[in-house]
Amino acid sequence: MSDNKYIYAVARIRSKELTLLNTAFMEQLVSAKGVSEAMSLLAEKGWSTGETGTSDFEQMLRSEEERTWDLIAELVKDMSVFDVFLYANDYHNLKAAIKEACSSQETPGIYISRGSIPVDTIKSAVSERDFSRLPERMREVASKAMDTLLHTRDGQICDAMVDRAALCDILRAGKESGSKILSDYGELTVATADIKIALRAAKTKKDAQFLKEAIAPCDTLDHTRLIETAAKGEDEVLTYLSGTVYSDAIDMLSKSASAFEKWCDDKMMDSIRQELYHPFTIGPLAAYILARQSEIRSVRIILTGKANDLSEETIRERIRATYV
Amino acid sequence: MTMGTVFALLGAALAALLAGVGSAIGVGRAGQAAAGVVTEDPNKFSQVLIMQLLPGTQGIYGLLIAFIALTNIGIMGGDANLSTSEGLLYFAACLPMAIVGLISAMQQSNAAVAGIALVNKRPDQFGKAMIFPAMVETYAILALLVSILSIFGVAALH
């Protein structure tokens, strides 16, 4: 009977999928003469370009992100199933609040409004050092990261601790959801983040202690081996990865960080595409959220590229695979 | 009133009850999907309505079997005194429609929901989308035939 819960929502999402941007449209955007023409094309597709002019495409992208979440909130009564997508925002806000509290300076625009916990709750819990207002999963790391920043003034280790906690939570929430797509999302998010951290740490010659604070365990990577190899060097990490399910990524990792980012997003897109044919379950809704996030990311790449006069070829290399 | 009449009535009631329950669940599920499509595109109402109705036929078949059984038993006028073995024969005759009606209606609704998704994305493929849930109907019709033939066969015995 639980299958019945999402029949209406999935049917509506199927209609919404018709409005997602496809590869041909992305190509049209890439070929547009400038930001203005690209924005006009998006307006024809129903994107809320508003009357703010061509310079404020970030506002448009934020508004599109909000539209996605508003639609999902309309369709699903219990939004907590999608917390796995929002934990990263919560922990980003926690880092921002800790840094703001430690520096006693307010920085406008550093918080992300869409999270599973209201921004004000995080800000007040950190500024008053009353971590009991935070969910239990965040309390320990919030207190530890704040103490570390106050004692060492090392923002990097503070960030690493909070990011690791975020990754652990994403993995756990994905597994607990009971949905394959959410579980795969959690696993891939953590594994790719670990790979990025390991390579960056190997490049900057971070010690094993830092790596232990930064790398989160996951099922597809051997946590201990990744830390050991990262402490030795970049080549060791790549050699280790060649024996894992992420061996396809090695070429991209050798190429550039942005090529690897694209590989991660495209791999996620490949794994969610099967949801196009599932009429029940929460999977198609989760896939739609990821597809929208991916297309917004691609549009941001295109518009930023246009604004900075990047060549079509350079932009084309960076845009993500589409869901439809 | 004999035990035979009780068994026969139970069979007729089950045919209407289980097939009706299956259809109610099936039409309800397909209706949710249809409502989702119409929310976004009201022009597809007529197409999705037909798809929604497909799992509803089992309830009608169940009603038909119950009606024929009740007439032959004699409950709707006539002598309703059946022996236990006659009653059990009527009970058994109604079972195909009752059980197949319940299961096929629920399974047909799964195919109807998937068909509605197909119509949603490719309205020009409505004919093909109809065929998938309609295939499930075959088994409900076979059960209906077996139940009808059995009831008339049992009636000819006494």
PDB file of all heavy atoms in Angstrom, chain A residues 282-304:
ATOM      1  N   ILE A 282       9.207   6.805  -4.321  1.00  0.00           N
ATOM      2  CA  ILE A 282       9.705   8.177  -4.208  1.00  0.00           C
ATOM      3  C   ILE A 282      10.846   8.450  -5.195  1.00  0.00           C
ATOM      4  O   ILE A 282      11.240   9.600  -5.408  1.00  0.00           O
ATOM      5  CB  ILE A 282      10.140   8.438  -2.747  1.00  0.00           C
ATOM      6  CG1 ILE A 282      10.149   9.925  -2.472  1.00  0.00           C
ATOM      7  CG2 ILE A 282      11.475   7.776  -2.425  1.00  0.00           C
ATOM      8  CD1 ILE A 282      10.097  10.272  -1.033  1.00  0.00           C
ATOM      9  N   GLY A 283      11.352   7.380  -5.809  1.00  0.00           N
ATOM     10  CA  GLY A 283      12.508   7.506  -6.706  1.00  0.00           C
ATOM     11  C   GLY A 283      12.376   8.589  -7.774  1.00  0.00           C
ATOM     12  O   GLY A 283      13.259   9.439  -7.907  1.00  0.00           O
ATOM     13  N   PRO A 284      11.272   8.598  -8.558  1.00  0.00           N
ATOM     14  CA  PRO A 284      11.158   9.623  -9.599  1.00  0.00           C
ATOM     15  C   PRO A 284      11.174  11.055  -9.054  1.00  0.00           C
ATOM     16  O   PRO A 284      11.635  11.972  -9.727  1.00  0.00           O
ATOM     17  CB  PRO A 284       9.806   9.312 -10.255  1.00  0.00           C
ATOM     18  CG  PRO A 284       9.578   7.871  -9.987  1.00  0.00           C
ATOM     19  CD  PRO A 284      10.179   7.618  -8.646  1.00  0.00           C
ATOM     20  N   LEU A 285      10.668  11.241  -7.826  1.00  0.00           N
ATOM     21  CA  LEU A 285      10.673  12.593  -7.242  1.00  0.00           C
ATOM     22  C   LEU A 285      12.103  13.002  -6.896  1.00  0.00           C
ATOM     23  O   LEU A 285      12.535  14.122  -7.173  1.00  0.00           O
ATOM     24  CB  LEU A 285       9.804  12.651  -5.980  1.00  0.00           C
ATOM     25  CG  LEU A 285       8.359  12.168  -6.098  1.00  0.00           C
ATOM     26  CD1 LEU A 285       7.634  12.343  -4.787  1.00  0.00           C
ATOM     27  CD2 LEU A 285       7.628  12.933  -7.169  1.00  0.00           C
ATOM     28  N   ALA A 286      12.831  12.063  -6.284  1.00  0.00           N
ATOM     29  CA  ALA A 286      14.237  12.342  -5.947  1.00  0.00           C
ATOM     30  C   ALA A 286      15.036  12.586  -7.224  1.00  0.00           C
ATOM     31  O   ALA A 286      15.871  13.506  -7.280  1.00  0.00           O
ATOM     32  CB  ALA A 286      14.814  11.162  -5.166  1.00  0.00           C
ATOM     33  N   ALA A 287      14.754  11.779  -8.248  1.00  0.00           N
ATOM     34  CA  ALA A 287      15.474  11.937  -9.520  1.00  0.00           C
ATOM     35  C   ALA A 287      15.178  13.299 -10.138  1.00  0.00           C
ATOM     36  O   ALA A 287      16.066  13.947 -10.695  1.00  0.00           O
ATOM     37  CB  ALA A 287      15.065  10.823 -10.490  1.00  0.00           C
ATOM     38  N   TYR A 288      13.932  13.766 -10.005  1.00  0.00           N
ATOM     39  CA  TYR A 288      13.566  15.075 -10.562  1.00  0.00           C
ATOM     40  C   TYR A 288      14.346  16.188  -9.854  1.00  0.00           C
ATOM     41  O   TYR A 288      14.847  17.107 -10.506  1.00  0.00           O
ATOM     42  CB  TYR A 288      12.053  15.291 -10.424  1.00  0.00           C
ATOM     43  CG  TYR A 288      11.593  16.635 -10.944  1.00  0.00           C
ATOM     44  CD1 TYR A 288      11.448  16.861 -12.305  1.00  0.00           C
ATOM     45  CD2 TYR A 288      11.330  17.695 -10.076  1.00  0.00           C
ATOM     46  CE1 TYR A 288      11.043  18.105 -12.786  1.00  0.00           C
ATOM     47  CE2 TYR A 288      10.929  18.937 -10.546  1.00  0.00           C
ATOM     48  CZ  TYR A 288      10.784  19.134 -11.905  1.00  0.00           C
ATOM     49  OH  TYR A 288      10.400  20.375 -12.375  1.00  0.00           O
ATOM     50  N   ILE A 289      14.442  16.080  -8.523  1.00  0.00           N
ATOM     51  CA  ILE A 289      15.195  17.114  -7.770  1.00  0.00           C
ATOM     52  C   ILE A 289      16.640  17.149  -8.268  1.00  0.00           C
ATOM     53  O   ILE A 289      17.197  18.217  -8.558  1.00  0.00           O
ATOM     54  CB  ILE A 289      15.162  16.821  -6.244  1.00  0.00           C
ATOM     55  CG1 ILE A 289      13.741  16.911  -5.713  1.00  0.00           C
ATOM     56  CG2 ILE A 289      16.076  17.787  -5.490  1.00  0.00           C
ATOM     57  CD1 ILE A 289      13.594  16.459  -4.270  1.00  0.00           C
ATOM     58  N   LEU A 290      17.240  15.964  -8.383  1.00  0.00           N
ATOM     59  CA  LEU A 290      18.644  15.902  -8.833  1.00  0.00           C
ATOM     60  C   LEU A 290      18.779  16.415 -10.267  1.00  0.00           C
ATOM     61  O   LEU A 290      19.745  17.104 -10.602  1.00  0.00           O
ATOM     62  CB  LEU A 290      19.166  14.469  -8.716  1.00  0.00           C
ATOM     63  CG  LEU A 290      19.371  13.971  -7.285  1.00  0.00           C
ATOM     64  CD1 LEU A 290      19.673  12.484  -7.282  1.00  0.00           C
ATOM     65  CD2 LEU A 290      20.480  14.735  -6.586  1.00  0.00           C
ATOM     66  N   ALA A 291      17.787  16.067 -11.121  1.00  0.00           N
ATOM     67  CA  ALA A 291      17.843  16.518 -12.518  1.00  0.00           C
ATOM     68  C   ALA A 291      17.753  18.033 -12.599  1.00  0.00           C
ATOM     69  O   ALA A 291      18.466  18.678 -13.369  1.00  0.00           O
ATOM     70  CB  ALA A 291      16.697  15.877 -13.306  1.00  0.00           C
ATOM     71  N   ARG A 292      16.875  18.619 -11.763  1.00  0.00           N
ATOM     72  CA  ARG A 292      16.738  20.078 -11.767  1.00  0.00           C
ATOM     73  C   ARG A 292      18.021  20.729 -11.253  1.00  0.00           C
ATOM     74  O   ARG A 292      18.494  21.722 -11.808  1.00  0.00           O
ATOM     75  CB  ARG A 292      15.559  20.493 -10.862  1.00  0.00           C
ATOM     76  CG  ARG A 292      14.226  20.332 -11.507  1.00  0.00           C
ATOM     77  CD  ARG A 292      13.939  21.425 -12.519  1.00  0.00           C
ATOM     78  NE  ARG A 292      13.610  22.688 -11.888  1.00  0.00           N
ATOM     79  CZ  ARG A 292      13.633  23.865 -12.507  1.00  0.00           C
ATOM     80  NH1 ARG A 292      14.020  23.932 -13.768  1.00  0.00           N
ATOM     81  NH2 ARG A 292      13.298  24.985 -11.883  1.00  0.00           N
ATOM     82  N   GLN A 293      18.593  20.162 -10.193  1.00  0.00           N
ATOM     83  CA  GLN A 293      19.837  20.736  -9.658  1.00  0.00           C
ATOM     84  C   GLN A 293      20.931  20.681 -10.712  1.00  0.00           C
ATOM     85  O   GLN A 293      21.711  21.613 -10.868  1.00  0.00           O
ATOM     86  CB  GLN A 293      20.268  19.984  -8.395  1.00  0.00           C
ATOM     87  CG  GLN A 293      19.389  20.313  -7.208  1.00  0.00           C
ATOM     88  CD  GLN A 293      19.751  19.534  -5.962  1.00  0.00           C
ATOM     89  OE1 GLN A 293      20.419  18.500  -6.036  1.00  0.00           O
ATOM     90  NE2 GLN A 293      19.302  19.995  -4.815  1.00  0.00           N
ATOM     91  N   SER A 294      20.968  19.560 -11.440  1.00  0.00           N
ATOM     92  CA  SER A 294      21.997  19.399 -12.460  1.00  0.00           C
ATOM     93  C   SER A 294      21.796  20.387 -13.608  1.00  0.00           C
ATOM     94  O   SER A 294      22.749  20.986 -14.102  1.00  0.00           O
ATOM     95  CB  SER A 294      21.974  17.961 -12.971  1.00  0.00           C
ATOM     96  OG  SER A 294      22.837  17.826 -14.046  1.00  0.00           O
ATOM     97  N   GLU A 295      20.529  20.582 -14.028  1.00  0.00           N
ATOM     98  CA  GLU A 295      20.318  21.506 -15.158  1.00  0.00           C
ATOM     99  C   GLU A 295      20.582  22.945 -14.726  1.00  0.00           C
ATOM    100  O   GLU A 295      21.100  23.740 -15.509  1.00  0.00           O
ATOM    101  CB  GLU A 295      18.947  21.319 -15.808  1.00  0.00           C
ATOM    102  CG  GLU A 295      17.778  21.872 -15.065  1.00  0.00           C
ATOM    103  CD  GLU A 295      16.476  21.779 -15.876  1.00  0.00           C
ATOM    104  OE1 GLU A 295      16.418  21.054 -16.871  1.00  0.00           O
ATOM    105  OE2 GLU A 295      15.507  22.455 -15.467  1.00  0.00           O
ATOM    106  N   ILE A 296      20.268  23.276 -13.472  1.00  0.00           N
ATOM    107  CA  ILE A 296      20.558  24.631 -12.976  1.00  0.00           C
ATOM    108  C   ILE A 296      22.078  24.853 -12.958  1.00  0.00           C
ATOM    109  O   ILE A 296      22.581  25.910 -13.333  1.00  0.00           O
ATOM    110  CB  ILE A 296      19.917  24.848 -11.570  1.00  0.00           C
ATOM    111  CG1 ILE A 296      18.392  24.907 -11.714  1.00  0.00           C
ATOM    112  CG2 ILE A 296      20.453  26.109 -10.898  1.00  0.00           C
ATOM    113  CD1 ILE A 296      17.617  24.880 -10.415  1.00  0.00           C
ATOM    114  N   ARG A 297      22.798  23.797 -12.554  1.00  0.00           N
ATOM    115  CA  ARG A 297      24.273  23.875 -12.546  1.00  0.00           C
ATOM    116  C   ARG A 297      24.790  24.101 -13.978  1.00  0.00           C
ATOM    117  O   ARG A 297      25.663  24.934 -14.197  1.00  0.00           O
ATOM    118  CB  ARG A 297      24.832  22.557 -11.986  1.00  0.00           C
ATOM    119  CG  ARG A 297      26.162  22.724 -11.277  1.00  0.00           C
ATOM    120  CD  ARG A 297      26.524  21.442 -10.543  1.00  0.00           C
ATOM    121  NE  ARG A 297      25.606  21.154  -9.466  1.00  0.00           N
ATOM    122  CZ  ARG A 297      25.096  19.949  -9.199  1.00  0.00           C
ATOM    123  NH1 ARG A 297      25.401  18.905  -9.938  1.00  0.00           N
ATOM    124  NH2 ARG A 297      24.279  19.775  -8.183  1.00  0.00           N
ATOM    125  N   SER A 298      24.234  23.370 -14.933  1.00  0.00           N
ATOM    126  CA  SER A 298      24.663  23.522 -16.329  1.00  0.00           C
ATOM    127  C   SER A 298      24.366  24.917 -16.848  1.00  0.00           C
ATOM    128  O   SER A 298      25.194  25.532 -17.522  1.00  0.00           O
ATOM    129  CB  SER A 298      23.951  22.501 -17.216  1.00  0.00           C
ATOM    130  OG  SER A 298      24.463  21.229 -16.976  1.00  0.00           O
ATOM    131  N   VAL A 299      23.158  25.425 -16.510  1.00  0.00           N
ATOM    132  CA  VAL A 299      22.795  26.774 -16.976  1.00  0.00           C
ATOM    133  C   VAL A 299      23.739  27.806 -16.349  1.00  0.00           C
ATOM    134  O   VAL A 299      24.169  28.753 -17.017  1.00  0.00           O
ATOM    135  CB  VAL A 299      21.300  27.077 -16.647  1.00  0.00           C
ATOM    136  CG1 VAL A 299      20.980  28.537 -16.905  1.00  0.00           C
ATOM    137  CG2 VAL A 299      20.390  26.192 -17.478  1.00  0.00           C
ATOM    138  N   ARG A 300      24.079  27.602 -15.079  1.00  0.00           N
ATOM    139  CA  ARG A 300      25.023  28.526 -14.420  1.00  0.00           C
ATOM    140  C   ARG A 300      26.366  28.513 -15.159  1.00  0.00           C
ATOM    141  O   ARG A 300      26.954  29.569 -15.417  1.00  0.00           O
ATOM    142  CB  ARG A 300      25.217  28.143 -12.954  1.00  0.00           C
ATOM    143  CG  ARG A 300      26.181  29.079 -12.230  1.00  0.00           C
ATOM    144  CD  ARG A 300      26.345  28.762 -10.756  1.00  0.00           C
ATOM    145  NE  ARG A 300      25.232  29.282  -9.975  1.00  0.00           N
ATOM    146  CZ  ARG A 300      24.358  28.545  -9.315  1.00  0.00           C
ATOM    147  NH1 ARG A 300      24.473  27.222  -9.348  1.00  0.00           N
ATOM    148  NH2 ARG A 300      23.377  29.086  -8.634  1.00  0.00           N
ATOM    149  N   ILE A 301      26.833  27.324 -15.519  1.00  0.00           N
ATOM    150  CA  ILE A 301      28.111  27.199 -16.241  1.00  0.00           C
ATOM    151  C   ILE A 301      28.021  27.949 -17.580  1.00  0.00           C
ATOM    152  O   ILE A 301      28.924  28.712 -17.935  1.00  0.00           O
ATOM    153  CB  ILE A 301      28.462  25.709 -16.462  1.00  0.00           C
ATOM    154  CG1 ILE A 301      28.851  25.065 -15.132  1.00  0.00           C
ATOM    155  CG2 ILE A 301      29.585  25.547 -17.486  1.00  0.00           C
ATOM    156  CD1 ILE A 301      28.906  23.543 -15.160  1.00  0.00           C
ATOM    157  N   ILE A 302      26.911  27.755 -18.279  1.00  0.00           N
ATOM    158  CA  ILE A 302      26.760  28.398 -19.598  1.00  0.00           C
ATOM    159  C   ILE A 302      26.716  29.917 -19.454  1.00  0.00           C
ATOM    160  O   ILE A 302      27.446  30.647 -20.147  1.00  0.00           O
ATOM    161  CB  ILE A 302      25.483  27.881 -20.316  1.00  0.00           C
ATOM    162  CG1 ILE A 302      25.627  26.387 -20.642  1.00  0.00           C
ATOM    163  CG2 ILE A 302      25.222  28.675 -21.592  1.00  0.00           C
ATOM    164  CD1 ILE A 302      24.357  25.713 -21.110  1.00  0.00           C
ATOM    165  N   LEU A 303      25.874  30.398 -18.523  1.00  0.00           N
ATOM    166  CA  LEU A 303      25.717  31.856 -18.390  1.00  0.00           C
ATOM    167  C   LEU A 303      26.999  32.510 -17.881  1.00  0.00           C
ATOM    168  O   LEU A 303      27.380  33.588 -18.355  1.00  0.00           O
ATOM    169  CB  LEU A 303      24.536  32.181 -17.471  1.00  0.00           C
ATOM    170  CG  LEU A 303      23.154  31.749 -17.993  1.00  0.00           C
ATOM    171  CD1 LEU A 303      22.065  32.067 -16.991  1.00  0.00           C
ATOM    172  CD2 LEU A 303      22.839  32.412 -19.329  1.00  0.00           C
ATOM    173  N   THR A 304      27.668  31.842 -16.934  1.00  0.00           N
ATOM    174  CA  THR A 304      28.940  32.397 -16.438  1.00  0.00           C
ATOM    175  C   THR A 304      29.964  32.411 -17.572  1.00  0.00           C
ATOM    176  O   THR A 304      30.714  33.382 -17.726  1.00  0.00           O
ATOM    177  CB  THR A 304      29.480  31.549 -15.258  1.00  0.00           C
ATOM    178  OG1 THR A 304      28.420  31.333 -14.349  1.00  0.00           O
ATOM    179  CG2 THR A 304      30.629  32.213 -14.545  1.00  0.00           C
TER     180      THR A 304
END
